[in-house]
Amino acid sequence: MTEGLDKPIGEMSFEEALRALEGVVRNLESGEVPLDESIALYERGEELRKACQARLDAAQARIEKIVQGADGKPSGTAPFDAES
C-alpha cells in the first residue's frame, strides 16, 4: 500500500515521514483506493503531516534561537529548550 504505513510515526525520521506522506497523497489522488482504505490513509496522512510540521516548527525555533539575540541581532548560540 503506502511506504511507512505500518511504522510508528514517532520512530520515523523527518525524511521517512515526508516520504510516507507523499505516498499517502499519491494513493489518495489516484482515486483507486476503496473508501474505507481512503479514510484510513487520510487519517494516517494527517498524523504524518502533524509530525512533519512539529519537526519543522522545532527546527525553526532552534534556528531563531541560534540567530537572534535579545536585541534582534545575531548573538551566537544558546541551548535549545523544546519545552519553552
Side-chain angles (χ1 to χ4, degrees), residues 2-54:
T2 300
E3 178 185 339
L5 187 62
D6 296 327
K7 187 173 184 179
I9 295 172
E11 294 178 11
M12 293 180 168
S13 68
F14 173 80
E15 291 78 9
E16 289 172 322
L18 187 57
R19 275 193 303 275
L21 179 57
E22 290 169 344
V24 166
V25 171
R26 268 192 307 278
N27 282 338
L28 290 172
E29 287 180 340
S30 77
E32 297 179 14
V33 181
L35 179 60
D36 289 340
E37 191 175 329
S38 292
I39 293 168
L41 279 171
Y42 180 85
E43 290 169 346
R44 177 70 172 184
E46 181 61 18
E47 293 303 313
L48 288 162
R49 184 201 63 78
K50 287 178 186 176
C52 288
Q53 188 63 54

